[in-house]
Amino acid sequence: MKADTARIGWIGAGHSPLPAVIYGTKAAWLSEAAALGLPVPPGFALPAEMLGELDLVAELDALAAQTGTRLGDPSAPLLLALRASSDEGASASVPAVLNIGICDAVFPALVTALDLRVAQDLRRRLIQSYGIGALGMEGEEFEYALYDALKDAGADAEEELSADALAELTERCLNLVAAETGEPFPDAADQQLSGALNAMAAAWNTPRARRRRVARGGADDAPLTLIVQQMVLGLGAGNSGAGIAHLRDPDTGVWALSGRYLANAQGDEALMGLRTPQVLSKAEREEKRLPDPALEEVCPQTAHALADAGARIEAALGDAFSLDFTLANGDLHLLELHSARLSSRAAVQVAVDLAESGAITREDALMRIDPVLLDAHLHPMIDPSAKRDQIGQGLPASPGAASGPLVFSPGAAEEAAATGNPALLALIETSPEDIRGMHAASGVLTVRGGMTSHAAVVARGLGTPCVVGAGDLTLDVIARQLTAADGRVFREGDVVTVVGGEGQVLAGAVPTLQPEITGAFATLMDWADQVRTMGVRANADTARDADIALGFAARGIGLCRTEHMFFKDGHLTTMRQMILAESEAERRTALEKLLPMQRADFVELFEAIHGLPVVIRLLDPPLHEFLPHGLAEMEEIAAELAVPVEKIRARALDLAEFNPMLGKRGCRIGIAFPEIYEMQARAIFEAACEAGARTGAPVKPEIMIPLVSAVRELELLKTLIEESAEAVRTARNEMVDYTIGVMIETPRACLRAGDIADKADFLSFGTNDLTQMLYGLSRDDAGRFMPDYVAREVFPHDPFHRIDEEGVGEIIRLAIERARAAMPGVSIGLCGEHGGDPASVDFCQRAGFDYVSCSPFRVPIARLAAAQAAIRARR
Ligand code: PEP
Ligand code: MG
């Protein structure tokens, strides 16, 4: 019984486009192009599960009516192509069967229409493609047959073979197929078609085809639709051949024709390297100084037709495509559309073009770009054509590529920068005192540490390319050398490159390309800002950071880590004096000296931020981090401060803690030494007065207290800050508008968020510490086993990188609920590393955050991620 043919889809002018979910993208996109009136050979698409139910008589009649030729008709034979259609990436897992319908009965007509040699060649190709596409035979078997034929004929290339030689080759191919199937190759056109359909459906499910589609990103069990189409020969008179056209420059996304074309060819032969294809564009031919003219020069009308087809397809389908095409005696036919392969920059250009032309909406354009890919716009990149000599692999801590002569100490990095030749700083791991060296270095490499280790966080903040945890490199600090796993040794001054975005360490200098913020990128960012509902701020400690943040359109600073100011030249010594003080009076004397330094830094920062909001966090790290570690450095400091080295050593010992991350840090310093926070508060208020007076833009500092876990900590420190404000007001007769907030980064603070919000103007979640404390997992040591944990799916992601919604996320939601219940209007932000991770930004939108704050270089990523989160929330 004839099965229901309603599910057969037609490809051709006058037919509606086919849905991709039923017929696969190849059939769907071709049917779209055909519906636009573009030259697509007519045909139909048949879901494979319908095979066996059908005789296809009606379909073949319809094709005969459309083409004026008929399958197996000795006077006007129709030849067919059979192609697989499925999800993109899966379609190509079985190759096409071409030239179906050539049998003895129709051969004379082909000879008359083409010539004997072409007819022979077509027949040979039918058998070969049937063997490969339908029977799943190896292409090499046929290549060996061709090789033998060439040898026998004394020929170098296929096109030199005579009709007789091709006939002989055809015989060899027939024997190969017969040996495979145990039967002669069918000589009836309709048997060829039904045989090819059934064999292709069987080939689709072979392990080899499954492996191929998985390798191309398709699904192992992707469904199959068979496309039966009129064959366009690509062989014969005039300009005939096959090729692929790319219409957009794959790096920039602007309109530019490129691709390959091979005369007298079918299918994807232009890409198979059997013969040298022509390029499509004159520009490429000239640039590469190729001897043969470009297709554009030989057939300008084809180049125009391709560009026109590309533009119409983009407008209709809302995406960029590359086109497989065939020329038959000068006439263009489109045989397949592929999603264009584009760099992230090109993808932005195309998305913006499409939205501006109305082909897609702005929201679609925003949703289409993976925010993480924007990173490529923001940092220097390795020239894609450069050779890489990889010597190590670590974690991609901070993107961008940087080369430089190796140095093994922060001091050496500073010296190198002073000579105008920035060095690449390699260390076991970094600590806060290395920040100046990191600042001065072209790039940073550590052999230990994870994605939220000190080096990683600071490098991201500075925008310095950085690879951490490159454990396959051995660093000998004493000998000052780095040894690669292959035994190669790199000494001070040897040039090395880090590729921060990929975690690679390379030998030698590698050419880089500077990032360009193109017009399209800026436009996309503008649209993102119009759509998003969450604010995006930057974590910025200096005026330089603030400048970068503003350059990336951050709306203020969400975290200024004031400790970084104390590591500046000249400041560190005074800071150390303060830490070495043996009494409050002595400490106050040192703090008096620190006050103007801190004030000057704040003035600079406030001026740079032009009146936008700025969150200043009071001192957070444990004090021992400011003291030198090694004896040599202790001696140096002792001489500088004119104190016995013993005193420094004793103080360092005194401050040493078993778990400094859980020790005397954060607001605990402020409770133990209130005079330190008092000095900082005073510096903030005085700087606000000065900067406000200078710029005319009032500064409204948001003072943040770190590591709070009990509301009493907030109460004590709030009083202290308010008293400072009052003192400054009395002294200067000027009132600074300010707020006081709390950093929520301990589990207890989350649970007590109601009490805390009741007394705070804002809350900012420090998700680095919160993750560390909730998991009981050191952020500095996690890198040692995190890759194993993620690989074995203990955690779906590194929780220091992407917010763990199940655990950390749950306690954050609970904290927000309690905070808003107590104080509905309290502002809620996030300032941990997660602020620059798109999935975490999406969580923040769902959890009701007011803003996220991240490293300046990740601000554009967060802006786009916030826009996408807002769109998702609306949809
Ligand atoms: C945090 O803990 O998330 C945070 C932003 O503070 P820091 O990284 O300085 O500890
Ligand atoms: Mg913290």
Side-chain angles (χ1 to χ4, degrees), residues 153-236:
D156 288 329
E158 222 174 308
E159 56 268 35
E160 293 169 27
L161 292 178
S162 65
D164 284 349
L166 284 168
E168 245 175 70
L169 175 56
T170 307
E171 279 308 312
R172 287 180 212 222
C173 294
L174 282 167
N175 291 338
L176 286 174
V177 169
E180 178 77 16
T181 59
E183 292 169 19
F185 185 80
D187 187 46
D190 55 349
Q191 278 178 29
Q192 287 175 2
L193 177 60
S194 60
L197 285 165
N198 289 318
M200 186 177 274
W204 184 256
N205 290 317
T206 56
R208 196 163 77 143
R210 288 173 185 273
R211 273 199 308 277
R212 276 198 192 144
R213 41 183 185 270
V214 169
R216 291 180 160 96
D220 167 80
D221 59 352
L224 170 68
T225 286
L226 296 148
I227 305 178
V228 178
Q229 255 179 314
Q230 183 188 20
M231 182 71 206
V232 182
L233 296 182
L235 298 186

Side-chain angles (χ1 to χ4, degrees), residues 433 627-637 645 648-649 652:
E433 70 197 83
L627 291 184
H629 301 303
L631 183 61
E633 229 199 318
M634 285 192 185
E635 280 171 347
E636 229 174 80
I637 305 301
V645 70
I648 297 179
R649 210 209 304 247

Side-chain angles (χ1 to χ4, degrees), residues 437-729:
M438 294 180 73
H439 219 294
S442 61
V444 175
L445 163 67
T446 73
V447 295
R448 285 220 290 260
M451 289 296 285
T452 49
S453 62
H454 180 266
V457 172
V458 171
R460 278 198 289 280
L462 295 172
T464 304
C466 175
V467 171
V468 299
D472 52 354
L473 293 170
T474 312
L475 200 163
D476 186 335
V477 187
I478 309 293
R480 293 180 175 262
Q481 64 182 38
L482 192 66
T483 308
D486 64 9
R488 276 188 285 174
V489 175
F490 297 83
R491 299 198 169 76
E492 200 149 52
D494 289 346
V495 173
V496 163
T497 298
V498 289
V499 190
E502 296 163 52
Q504 288 184 349
V505 187
L506 313 177
V510 182
T512 54
L513 302 177
Q514 279 311 309
E516 266 177 53
I517 297 187
T518 61
F521 180 31
T523 305
L524 191 82
M525 285 292 111
D526 241 20
W527 295 347
D529 291 344
Q530 290 165 25
V531 164
R532 67 186 163 86
T533 54
M534 266 191 311
V536 175
R537 297 192 187 185
N539 293 353
D541 307 329
T542 61
R544 174 182 173 266
D545 294 346
D547 284 342
I548 296 169
L550 290 184
F552 289 134
R555 288 264 153 263
I557 294 176
L559 174 64
C560 165
R561 293 174 164 105
T562 51
E563 61 268 24
H564 290 161
M565 295 175 167
F566 297 122
F567 285 106
K568 270 174 70 170
D569 251 349
H571 295 196
L572 189 57
T573 311
T574 317
M575 184 68 178
R576 285 169 167 164
Q577 259 175 342
M578 190 277 288
I579 294 169
L580 290 172
E582 278 166 4
S583 65
E584 187 188 323
E586 217 182 299
R587 203 161 31 249
R588 283 193 179 275
T589 311
L591 284 166
E592 277 301 316
K593 274 167 65 185
L594 276 174
L595 174 72
M597 300 176 187
Q598 179 102 92
R599 185 173 54 221
D601 286 338
F602 287 139
V603 169
E604 240 185 68
L605 185 72
F606 292 158
E607 287 185 0
I609 204 71
H610 300 296
L612 290 173
V614 44
V615 172
I616 299 154
R617 178 179 74 183
L618 301 178
L619 192 65
D620 179 52
L623 295 181
H624 76 86
E625 284 194 4
F626 297 91
L627 291 184
H629 301 303
L631 183 61
E633 229 199 318
M634 285 192 185
E635 280 171 347
E636 229 174 80
I637 305 301
E640 197 183 336
L641 295 178
V643 295
V645 70
E646 259 325 301
K647 177 172 173 173
I648 297 179
R649 210 209 304 247
R651 188 74 180 119
L653 218 56
D654 179 42
L655 288 173
E657 292 179 320
F658 287 108
N659 286 310
M661 280 297 104
L662 300 177
K664 193 164 161 185
R665 58 169 286 217
C667 64
R668 297 161 197 169
I669 297 175
I671 302 281
F673 305 120
E675 53 280 9
I676 298 181
Y677 275 19
E678 203 181 291
M679 179 281 287
Q680 288 200 290
R682 192 169 143 203
I684 293 169
F685 293 126
E686 290 179 354
C689 296
E690 280 180 29
R694 243 186 255 176
T695 61
V699 181
K700 185 177 172 185
E702 301 176 11
I703 301 175
M704 182 157 75
I705 305 172
L707 217 80
V708 166
S709 47
V711 72
R712 180 78 184 136
E713 289 168 325
L714 168 61
E715 285 165 358
L716 289 171
L717 295 170
K718 197 174 164 183
T719 307
L720 178 148
I721 294 165
E722 284 165 354
E723 283 168 5
S724 273
E726 188 52 29
V728 172
R729 191 185 71 80

Side-chain angles (χ1 to χ4, degrees), residues 20 39 106 125 210 251 496 554 612 656 722 756 768 797 803:
V106 308
R125 286 161 187 269
R210 288 173 185 273
D251 290 325
V496 163
L612 290 173
E722 284 165 354
I756 292 172
N768 302 334
H797 304 280
I803 253 186

